[in-house]
Amino acid sequence: MKERLVDAAYALGWAALKHLPEPVAAGLFDRIADSAWRKRGKRVLQLEKNLRRVFPEADEARLRELSRAGMRSYLRYWKESFRLQTWTTEQLAAAVDIKGIEELTAILESGRGVVAALPHMANWDLAGAWVAAVIGHPFTTVAERLKPESLFDRFVAYRESLGMEVLPLTGSDVSVTGTLARRLRAGRLICLVGDRDLSEAGLPVDFFGEQTRMPAGPAALALRTGAALLPATLWYDGPVMRGVIHPEVLPPEEGDQRQKTAAMTQAMADVWADGIREHPEDWHMLQKLWLSDLPVRDGTTTVQG
């Protein structure tokens, strides 16, 4: 019953909210964000705990200010997501400004693949729609399966309508890694969100002075295929979403494959940390991220939560 209600709520969002006038939709989602912020539920509290790692010197008033702005940014992501399918190419062009896109385009035009990797900042779906429709580079990405299955199908259909090829992370007979590698060897673009992976396959990284885990996939795929690894950061600036595609992360000359992958993943984390410090309100990390926040069982940090 709960899964059916969740699916129905998202279906209502896509069916009704995308036709509201922009000022009405913006005001509605700001009110939802402020209501959630005032209730101080576990996700708001976790957001503040995460932001304290970014700004350990911040007092409670500053953290509350950041978390309120963060919730408004997070709900703006959802507001845009419910409405993106109705946007024209002209609207997308006016809504997004990403520096460094010329380097990405030049690499693709040379016939070399690109792995664009970004954290949970601003609206990665909007950035993807802009890259596909305005810049003219359709791409492949990966989606984690959601419950119920009908909700996952809605998200896949939504992202495919924006110009993305979406591969399910699990539950498919086709190798996700193998498919991504083939796309890169064909000189294509893949885009991956990469700032959270608490599975045992995740690589340990230092992030704001504490250890967490991040996916090995972006760096490992770049090494395996010779593709360029380009980290990106995004943020909101009034009505426009801005971003930067940062210089290519190059593999170190020394070390084996795993050591090189770890070094490149850490380099990405450092780039993202700088971007998050500059625009902390647009980092939508409402979940536990650092290993020290996770429960300990039998002397081992779990990957739950």
Side-chain angles (χ1 to χ4, degrees), residues 143-155:
E144 187 174 357
R145 283 197 177 274
L146 303 171
K147 291 183 179 181
E149 188 74 15
S150 57
L151 178 58
F152 175 73
D153 292 340
R154 288 185 193 279
F155 269 98

Side-chain angles (χ1 to χ4, degrees), residues 32-50 63-64 67-68 71 74 285-288:
I32 295 171
D34 288 347
S35 176
W37 176 77
R38 284 192 295 268
K39 290 177 181 178
R40 295 187 64 72
K42 64 179 182 179
R43 301 192 78 185
V44 173
L45 294 177
Q46 187 61 54
L47 175 61
E48 291 181 1
K49 192 170 185 178
N50 292 341
L63 287 175
R64 291 285 283 149
S67 68
R68 183 183 186 190
M71 291 302 295
Y74 179 60
M285 188 55 65
L286 280 68
Q287 302 85 18
K288 294 178 181 179

Side-chain angles (χ1 to χ4, degrees), residues 49-124:
K49 192 170 185 178
N50 292 341
L51 289 169
R52 187 178 293 282
R53 269 56 175 254
V54 181
F55 297 110
E57 74 285 356
D59 60 18
E60 290 301 317
R62 173 60 174 155
L63 287 175
R64 291 285 283 149
E65 176 187 2
L66 285 175
S67 68
R68 183 183 186 190
M71 291 302 295
R72 285 193 167 202
S73 177
Y74 179 60
L75 266 294
R76 176 173 172 174
Y77 161 82
W78 282 108
K79 183 257 296 182
E80 291 172 345
S81 295
F82 285 129
R83 297 161 64 81
L84 263 181
Q85 288 172 307
T86 68
W87 287 24
T88 65
T89 302
E90 290 74 21
Q91 286 175 302
L92 286 171
V96 180
D97 178 24
I98 298 180
K99 306 300 182 185
I101 192 67
E102 300 83 5
E103 180 181 2
L104 182 148
T105 296
I107 294 171
L108 290 173
E109 289 178 348
S110 75
R112 188 180 175 208
V114 171
V115 181
L118 60 158
H120 287 81
M121 292 186 75
N123 192 333
W124 44 98

